[in-house]
Amino acid sequence: MLNYGYSEEGRPGSVGDFALWRRILGYSARYKGALTIAVILALAVSISTLIMPQLMQRGIDHYILATDLANELRTQGLGRIVLQYTLLVMLVFVCTFAQMVMLEWVGQSVMHRMRQDLFTHLLGLDLRFFHSQPAGRLVTRLTNDIQNMHEMFTSVMVVLFNEALKLTGIFFFLFWMNARLAVAMLIFAPIALGATWIFSRLARDKFRDIRIQLAKINAFLAEALSGMGVIQAFGAQPRSSALFQRLNQEYLQRTFSQIKVFGIFMPFIEMLGTVAIAVIVWYGGGEALRGQLTIGELAAFIAYMRLFFQPLRELSQNYSIVQSAMASAERIFETLDTRPDILPQLPDSTRPAARAGTPATGPCEIQFQNVDFGYSPGELVLRQINLNIAPGETVALVGATGAGKTSMISLLTRFYDPIRGAVLICGQDIRSMPLGELRRRIGLVMQDVFIMPDTVLANIILDQPREDQWLERILAQTGLHRFIERLPQGLQTRIGEGALNLSLGEKQLLSFVRALYRNPEILILDEATASIDSESENLLEQAVAAGFANRTSLVIAHRLSTIRRADRIVVMDQGRIVEIGRHEELLARDSRYRDLVRIDELQTT
């Protein structure tokens, strides 16, 4: 993982803020034209705002308090000042509106691109990453954290420039009008800037804590809502409610802690502004009485001081958005910096060249050579696995839960890589194959079937080109056309969330059609008939018989009907292969397999 100044906990190091800003600004690089226009508009707003006190001074000194002008001239002069002031106000309104539209467009565009990049990156990460990251936490990255980045682009990026420009212009006008009074005002600047810096450090920590807690809440909600049936069936509502209350209370406390920081900082800035104006009235009033300062200049000075603390208030309020966005950016870029251990392409030229785009050529041999594997360091779930599966052979993996059957499937499909040893297909180490080619050659039917909210046809073909004749041939050979004919609109029936809800058996049938549509050389059934009804099982049995033809097949199943069809049965126990043979051979002797069969028969009677 690239660090970019982050510590192990994802907190910024000494160069973290600079690295974050560089990457954040990198996302807005393609919108330089729009941001340039927004900066020009901000410049127009700032200049117009700074001119207004000058118009006030001219109106007071040259016309209101002038004694050497006729009333008619004074009235005409004030009219011109009011007209100019009104035009400036209208200019500020138009420029501010255009700036907001421009920034909103940039913010939405950046948010869209960042969310797309993040989701695309997640699609390429290993399963090991998803096993260690709660789904709710990742949802928070893609929703709340991205939204915070949008708020920063729309509310902060150009606003920071705008307010900094105002502060610079205010200092210029203050010294130009009265250097001594401006120097007196400078004592408030380091106090205000120091308070802002302290506030920024505190706010960053508070916002980071809030983001972490929000991710915990989202993770809990994702798990609780997906498992609502289990919660209600086992009467776990009070326990779930108590857990959520604890998480929610912690979120409230962290949010209130952040509010207290703002509750101290904002009144402090307001107090500084009030004290500064009091000093101006006291010192500037004395200067006016001594003739060193005009009433108009004093009024303009007070107006500039109000403008001076207004940017500080704006910066402090926007700084809360910045801190929230920076905390979110840390987490977004930390996820983007996560690199998969299993790369989709060859990492270097030292490995054999991949046979990209190799078409299906028939059954393939599968070899497991001295394979050791574990999900966690030092905890092996597979030990010294040696297994050769001949081309076109059907092998069944059986064993108790936790024996390592699914882990072998995960290695064959390269969801994980072995710690030691190798897995070969047609004599080629699968680590030397591009992932796309490897997984195109394997058809996987799992117990838990993923259904997209789309038509049945879209769920079957997925990323493959549409071939109606090939699909009809598969349905006819496997007998699964009866399953399709039962659906209201056939292949065009919409399924998934908000549409037709398929039964477990129907999902398994759909999954099998999906696997065969890819015309794989290797077919894997992972507990594909474990939870389906008898009618669906009869349909699937016919489909399985057709699907095994001219393919190398690997089956994990408890039901004897599927196991008996296998050419060989591999019995596993505690991560090792303990027995290999045909169904009749293993039953004929005192074997671990015979014990498993007896247990299965007792469970089904």
Short mmCIF file of all heavy atoms in Angstrom, two decimals, residues 250-285:
data_model
loop_
_atom_site.label_atom_id
_atom_site.label_comp_id
_atom_site.label_asym_id
_atom_site.label_seq_id
_atom_site.Cartn_x
_atom_site.Cartn_y
_atom_site.Cartn_z
N GLU A 250 -22.85 6.62 21.19
CA GLU A 250 -21.45 6.99 20.97
C GLU A 250 -21.34 8.02 19.85
O GLU A 250 -20.55 8.97 19.94
CB GLU A 250 -20.64 5.74 20.62
CG GLU A 250 -19.16 6.00 20.36
CD GLU A 250 -18.42 6.45 21.61
OE1 GLU A 250 -18.92 6.23 22.73
OE2 GLU A 250 -17.33 7.05 21.46
N TYR A 251 -22.15 7.86 18.82
CA TYR A 251 -22.16 8.84 17.72
C TYR A 251 -22.64 10.20 18.23
O TYR A 251 -22.07 11.24 17.87
CB TYR A 251 -23.06 8.34 16.59
CG TYR A 251 -23.09 9.25 15.39
CD1 TYR A 251 -22.03 9.26 14.48
CD2 TYR A 251 -24.17 10.10 15.16
CE1 TYR A 251 -22.06 10.09 13.37
CE2 TYR A 251 -24.20 10.93 14.06
CZ TYR A 251 -23.15 10.92 13.17
OH TYR A 251 -23.17 11.75 12.07
N LEU A 252 -23.67 10.18 19.08
CA LEU A 252 -24.17 11.43 19.66
C LEU A 252 -23.09 12.11 20.48
O LEU A 252 -22.90 13.34 20.39
CB LEU A 252 -25.40 11.14 20.52
CG LEU A 252 -25.97 12.32 21.31
CD1 LEU A 252 -26.48 13.41 20.37
CD2 LEU A 252 -27.09 11.85 22.24
N GLN A 253 -22.37 11.35 21.29
CA GLN A 253 -21.34 11.93 22.14
C GLN A 253 -20.21 12.53 21.31
O GLN A 253 -19.71 13.62 21.62
CB GLN A 253 -20.80 10.86 23.09
CG GLN A 253 -21.81 10.40 24.14
CD GLN A 253 -21.30 9.24 24.96
OE1 GLN A 253 -20.23 8.69 24.70
NE2 GLN A 253 -22.07 8.87 25.98
N ARG A 254 -19.81 11.82 20.26
CA ARG A 254 -18.73 12.34 19.42
C ARG A 254 -19.18 13.58 18.65
O ARG A 254 -18.40 14.52 18.48
CB ARG A 254 -18.26 11.25 18.44
CG ARG A 254 -17.64 10.05 19.13
CD ARG A 254 -17.03 9.08 18.16
NE ARG A 254 -16.44 7.93 18.84
CZ ARG A 254 -15.67 7.03 18.26
NH1 ARG A 254 -15.38 7.12 16.98
NH2 ARG A 254 -15.18 6.03 18.96
N THR A 255 -20.42 13.58 18.19
CA THR A 255 -20.95 14.75 17.50
C THR A 255 -21.05 15.94 18.45
O THR A 255 -20.70 17.08 18.09
CB THR A 255 -22.33 14.45 16.90
OG1 THR A 255 -22.22 13.31 16.03
CG2 THR A 255 -22.85 15.63 16.11
N PHE A 256 -21.51 15.69 19.68
CA PHE A 256 -21.63 16.77 20.65
C PHE A 256 -20.26 17.31 21.04
O PHE A 256 -20.09 18.51 21.28
CB PHE A 256 -22.37 16.27 21.90
CG PHE A 256 -22.73 17.36 22.86
CD1 PHE A 256 -23.65 18.34 22.52
CD2 PHE A 256 -22.12 17.42 24.12
CE1 PHE A 256 -23.96 19.36 23.41
CE2 PHE A 256 -22.43 18.43 25.00
CZ PHE A 256 -23.36 19.41 24.66
N SER A 257 -19.27 16.43 21.08
CA SER A 257 -17.90 16.87 21.36
C SER A 257 -17.41 17.82 20.28
O SER A 257 -16.76 18.84 20.57
CB SER A 257 -16.98 15.65 21.47
OG SER A 257 -15.65 16.05 21.68
N GLN A 258 -17.75 17.51 19.03
CA GLN A 258 -17.38 18.41 17.93
C GLN A 258 -18.14 19.73 18.04
O GLN A 258 -17.58 20.81 17.78
CB GLN A 258 -17.68 17.72 16.60
CG GLN A 258 -17.53 18.62 15.38
CD GLN A 258 -18.88 18.98 14.80
OE1 GLN A 258 -19.83 18.20 14.83
NE2 GLN A 258 -18.96 20.17 14.24
N ILE A 259 -19.41 19.68 18.45
CA ILE A 259 -20.21 20.90 18.59
C ILE A 259 -19.64 21.80 19.67
O ILE A 259 -19.63 23.03 19.55
CB ILE A 259 -21.68 20.53 18.91
CG1 ILE A 259 -22.32 19.88 17.68
CG2 ILE A 259 -22.48 21.75 19.32
CD1 ILE A 259 -23.70 19.33 17.93
N LYS A 260 -19.12 21.20 20.74
CA LYS A 260 -18.52 22.00 21.82
C LYS A 260 -17.29 22.75 21.33
O LYS A 260 -17.05 23.90 21.76
CB LYS A 260 -18.18 21.10 23.01
CG LYS A 260 -19.39 20.63 23.80
CD LYS A 260 -19.00 19.97 25.11
CE LYS A 260 -18.31 18.66 24.88
NZ LYS A 260 -18.05 17.94 26.15
N VAL A 261 -16.52 22.12 20.45
CA VAL A 261 -15.36 22.82 19.88
C VAL A 261 -15.83 24.05 19.11
O VAL A 261 -15.27 25.14 19.25
CB VAL A 261 -14.55 21.86 18.99
CG1 VAL A 261 -13.45 22.63 18.24
CG2 VAL A 261 -13.95 20.74 19.81
N PHE A 262 -16.87 23.89 18.29
CA PHE A 262 -17.42 25.03 17.55
C PHE A 262 -18.03 26.04 18.51
O PHE A 262 -17.96 27.25 18.28
CB PHE A 262 -18.47 24.55 16.56
CG PHE A 262 -17.91 24.05 15.27
CD1 PHE A 262 -17.55 22.73 15.12
CD2 PHE A 262 -17.71 24.91 14.20
CE1 PHE A 262 -17.02 22.26 13.94
CE2 PHE A 262 -17.18 24.45 13.01
CZ PHE A 262 -16.83 23.12 12.88
N GLY A 263 -18.66 25.54 19.59
CA GLY A 263 -19.30 26.43 20.54
C GLY A 263 -18.32 27.35 21.25
O GLY A 263 -18.69 28.43 21.71
N ILE A 264 -17.08 26.91 21.34
CA ILE A 264 -16.04 27.77 21.94
C ILE A 264 -15.43 28.69 20.90
O ILE A 264 -15.22 29.89 21.13
CB ILE A 264 -14.95 26.89 22.60
CG1 ILE A 264 -15.54 26.11 23.78
CG2 ILE A 264 -13.77 27.75 23.05
CD1 ILE A 264 -14.57 25.11 24.38
N PHE A 265 -15.15 28.14 19.73
CA PHE A 265 -14.41 28.90 18.73
C PHE A 265 -15.23 30.05 18.14
O PHE A 265 -14.74 31.19 18.04
CB PHE A 265 -13.95 27.96 17.61
CG PHE A 265 -13.24 28.66 16.49
CD1 PHE A 265 -11.93 29.10 16.65
CD2 PHE A 265 -13.86 28.91 15.29
CE1 PHE A 265 -11.27 29.76 15.63
CE2 PHE A 265 -13.22 29.57 14.26
CZ PHE A 265 -11.92 29.99 14.44
N MET A 266 -16.46 29.78 17.74
CA MET A 266 -17.27 30.80 17.07
C MET A 266 -17.52 32.02 17.96
O MET A 266 -17.32 33.16 17.53
CB MET A 266 -18.58 30.20 16.58
CG MET A 266 -18.41 29.11 15.52
SD MET A 266 -17.55 29.70 14.05
CE MET A 266 -18.74 30.86 13.42
N PRO A 267 -17.95 31.84 19.22
CA PRO A 267 -18.11 33.03 20.08
C PRO A 267 -16.80 33.76 20.33
O PRO A 267 -16.79 34.99 20.49
CB PRO A 267 -18.68 32.44 21.38
CG PRO A 267 -19.32 31.17 20.99
CD PRO A 267 -18.47 30.64 19.89
N PHE A 268 -15.68 33.01 20.34
CA PHE A 268 -14.38 33.66 20.56
C PHE A 268 -14.06 34.60 19.40
O PHE A 268 -13.59 35.73 19.62
CB PHE A 268 -13.29 32.60 20.71
CG PHE A 268 -11.92 33.18 20.95
CD1 PHE A 268 -11.59 33.71 22.19
CD2 PHE A 268 -10.97 33.21 19.94
CE1 PHE A 268 -10.34 34.25 22.42
CE2 PHE A 268 -9.72 33.75 20.15
CZ PHE A 268 -9.40 34.27 21.40
N ILE A 269 -14.32 34.15 18.17
CA ILE A 269 -14.08 35.01 17.00
C ILE A 269 -15.01 36.22 17.03
O ILE A 269 -14.62 37.36 16.73
CB ILE A 269 -14.26 34.22 15.71
CG1 ILE A 269 -13.17 33.14 15.57
CG2 ILE A 269 -14.22 35.13 14.49
CD1 ILE A 269 -11.77 33.69 15.45
N GLU A 270 -16.26 36.00 17.42
CA GLU A 270 -17.21 37.11 17.53
C GLU A 270 -16.74 38.11 18.59
O GLU A 270 -16.83 39.34 18.40
CB GLU A 270 -18.60 36.57 17.91
CG GLU A 270 -19.28 35.77 16.81
CD GLU A 270 -19.78 36.65 15.69
OE1 GLU A 270 -19.84 37.89 15.87
OE2 GLU A 270 -20.09 36.12 14.61
N MET A 271 -16.22 37.61 19.70
CA MET A 271 -15.73 38.48 20.76
C MET A 271 -14.54 39.31 20.27
O MET A 271 -14.44 40.51 20.55
CB MET A 271 -15.34 37.66 21.98
CG MET A 271 -14.86 38.49 23.17
SD MET A 271 -14.13 37.47 24.47
CE MET A 271 -12.62 36.94 23.66
N LEU A 272 -13.63 38.68 19.52
CA LEU A 272 -12.50 39.42 18.98
C LEU A 272 -12.98 40.55 18.07
O LEU A 272 -12.44 41.67 18.11
CB LEU A 272 -11.58 38.48 18.20
CG LEU A 272 -10.57 37.65 18.99
CD1 LEU A 272 -9.72 36.81 18.04
CD2 LEU A 272 -9.68 38.54 19.84
N GLY A 273 -13.97 40.24 17.23
CA GLY A 273 -14.50 41.26 16.34
C GLY A 273 -15.11 42.42 17.10
O GLY A 273 -14.90 43.59 16.75
N THR A 274 -15.84 42.12 18.17
CA THR A 274 -16.45 43.19 18.98
C THR A 274 -15.40 44.03 19.67
O THR A 274 -15.49 45.27 19.70
CB THR A 274 -17.40 42.56 20.03
OG1 THR A 274 -18.38 41.77 19.35
CG2 THR A 274 -18.09 43.64 20.83
N VAL A 275 -14.38 43.37 20.22
CA VAL A 275 -13.29 44.11 20.90
C VAL A 275 -12.55 44.99 19.89
O VAL A 275 -12.20 46.15 20.19
CB VAL A 275 -12.33 43.13 21.59
CG1 VAL A 275 -11.10 43.87 22.13
CG2 VAL A 275 -13.04 42.39 22.72
N ALA A 276 -12.31 44.46 18.69
CA ALA A 276 -11.61 45.24 17.67
C ALA A 276 -12.40 46.49 17.30
O ALA A 276 -11.83 47.59 17.16
CB ALA A 276 -11.37 44.37 16.44
N ILE A 277 -13.70 46.36 17.13
CA ILE A 277 -14.53 47.53 16.81
C ILE A 277 -14.53 48.53 17.97
O ILE A 277 -14.49 49.75 17.75
CB ILE A 277 -15.96 47.07 16.45
CG1 ILE A 277 -15.92 46.31 15.12
CG2 ILE A 277 -16.90 48.26 16.35
CD1 ILE A 277 -17.26 45.72 14.73
N ALA A 278 -14.56 48.01 19.20
CA ALA A 278 -14.51 48.91 20.36
C ALA A 278 -13.21 49.70 20.37
O ALA A 278 -13.19 50.90 20.67
CB ALA A 278 -14.67 48.10 21.65
N VAL A 279 -12.09 49.01 20.03
CA VAL A 279 -10.79 49.71 19.97
C VAL A 279 -10.82 50.77 18.88
O VAL A 279 -10.29 51.88 19.05
CB VAL A 279 -9.66 48.69 19.74
CG1 VAL A 279 -8.34 49.41 19.44
CG2 VAL A 279 -9.51 47.78 20.95
N ILE A 280 -11.42 50.46 17.73
CA ILE A 280 -11.51 51.43 16.64
C ILE A 280 -12.31 52.65 17.09
O ILE A 280 -11.93 53.81 16.84
CB ILE A 280 -12.14 50.78 15.40
CG1 ILE A 280 -11.19 49.75 14.79
CG2 ILE A 280 -12.48 51.83 14.35
CD1 ILE A 280 -11.78 49.00 13.62
N VAL A 281 -13.45 52.38 17.73
CA VAL A 281 -14.28 53.51 18.17
C VAL A 281 -13.53 54.36 19.18
O VAL A 281 -13.56 55.60 19.13
CB VAL A 281 -15.61 52.99 18.77
CG1 VAL A 281 -16.39 54.14 19.39
CG2 VAL A 281 -16.45 52.31 17.68
N TRP A 282 -12.81 53.74 20.13
CA TRP A 282 -12.08 54.49 21.16
C TRP A 282 -10.90 55.24 20.55
O TRP A 282 -10.77 56.46 20.71
CB TRP A 282 -11.59 53.53 22.24
CG TRP A 282 -10.68 54.17 23.24
CD1 TRP A 282 -11.01 55.07 24.21
CD2 TRP A 282 -9.26 53.99 23.31
NE1 TRP A 282 -9.89 55.46 24.90
CE2 TRP A 282 -8.80 54.82 24.38
CE3 TRP A 282 -8.32 53.23 22.62
CZ2 TRP A 282 -7.45 54.88 24.75
CZ3 TRP A 282 -6.99 53.29 22.98
CH2 TRP A 282 -6.57 54.12 24.03
N TYR A 283 -10.03 54.50 19.83
CA TYR A 283 -8.83 55.13 19.30
C TYR A 283 -9.16 56.00 18.09
O TYR A 283 -8.71 57.14 17.98
CB TYR A 283 -7.81 54.05 18.90
CG TYR A 283 -6.50 54.61 18.41
CD1 TYR A 283 -5.53 55.07 19.30
CD2 TYR A 283 -6.23 54.69 17.03
CE1 TYR A 283 -4.33 55.59 18.84
CE2 TYR A 283 -5.03 55.19 16.57
CZ TYR A 283 -4.08 55.66 17.48
OH TYR A 283 -2.89 56.18 17.02
N GLY A 284 -9.99 55.49 17.19
CA GLY A 284 -10.34 56.25 15.99
C GLY A 284 -11.18 57.47 16.32
O GLY A 284 -11.05 58.52 15.68
N GLY A 285 -12.06 57.31 17.34
CA GLY A 285 -12.85 58.48 17.75
C GLY A 285 -11.97 59.58 18.27
O GLY A 285 -12.19 60.78 17.98
#
